[in-house]
Amino acid sequence: RGKDEKHKVWMPKLWMVKEYKDKWKSIDDAERNIFKFKKSSEEKSKKMEKEEKFFRETFMYDKEIRVLATATAERSVPSQRRVDLPLTAGEQLDVIAAAQGHAVICRNAQGRYGYVLVEHLNFR
């Protein structure tokens, strides 16, 4: 033996149980998913800005967008035009403005704006 090896302490190699290895891997994956979430939320905010820009141009709405009320769609209704908002039953909508007649301007959870007939909504 050399002088360096003489003072070297032998340590037993610790074997890790497979369950713990899997747990550590899942923790690492979760940390990676945090960064993916930030990227998707960034893309989502860009889409929301695009929808808002389209809304302002189409409806000639230059005021501040404020939610007047929250409503729930009573039934599913497909949209006939681009300015109409397609509905699914039970969907939560933010009422932005009251338009002419029986229609209101609403925003859905995806950030899309459009006209919805009052008869399709349930106000609480």
Side-chain angles (χ1 to χ4, degrees):
R1 288 185 169 181
K3 290 181 180 179
D4 294 334
E5 292 178 10
K6 186 177 181 182
H7 298 288
K8 193 174 186 181
V9 177
W10 180 78
M11 294 290 288
K13 189 168 185 177
L14 298 174
W15 295 97
M16 197 179 299
V17 180
K18 188 176 181 180
E19 293 173 16
Y20 294 123
K21 276 186 180 179
D22 292 340
K23 194 180 261 187
W24 283 3
K25 285 181 185 177
S26 67
I27 291 170
D28 291 341
D29 291 342
E31 289 175 1
R32 288 187 191 120
N33 288 340
I34 291 171
F35 298 117
K36 288 181 183 177
F37 175 74
K38 287 181 182 177
K39 186 177 179 183
S40 68
S41 66
E42 197 173 290
E43 291 171 359
K44 192 173 183 179
S45 66
K46 286 181 182 179
K47 185 178 178 185
M48 296 278 266
E49 287 176 12
K50 184 180 175 184
E51 287 290 338
E52 185 179 331
K53 183 179 177 185
F54 176 80
F55 163 69
R56 288 186 181 282
E57 290 173 357
T58 306
F59 295 90
M60 291 178 246
Y61 196 85
D62 56 351
K63 298 181 266 181
E64 180 183 350
I65 297 174
R66 283 203 262 164
V67 178
L68 302 176
T70 304
T72 307
E74 288 184 339
R75 62 183 79 96
S76 297
V77 180
S79 65
Q80 302 296 329
R81 306 173 292 169
R82 173 65 173 113
V83 293
D84 293 335
L85 188 63
L87 300 177
T88 54
E91 181 180 18
Q92 292 279 18
L93 300 170
D94 296 329
V95 178
I96 304 299
Q100 69 277 7
H102 297 285
V104 291
I105 299 173
C106 293
R107 176 178 61 197
N108 64 7
Q110 289 80 29
R112 189 166 173 201
Y113 296 85
Y115 287 118
V116 178
L117 292 176
V118 177
E119 60 196 40
H120 300 306
L121 299 177
N122 181 15
F123 294 92
R124 291 184 189 174

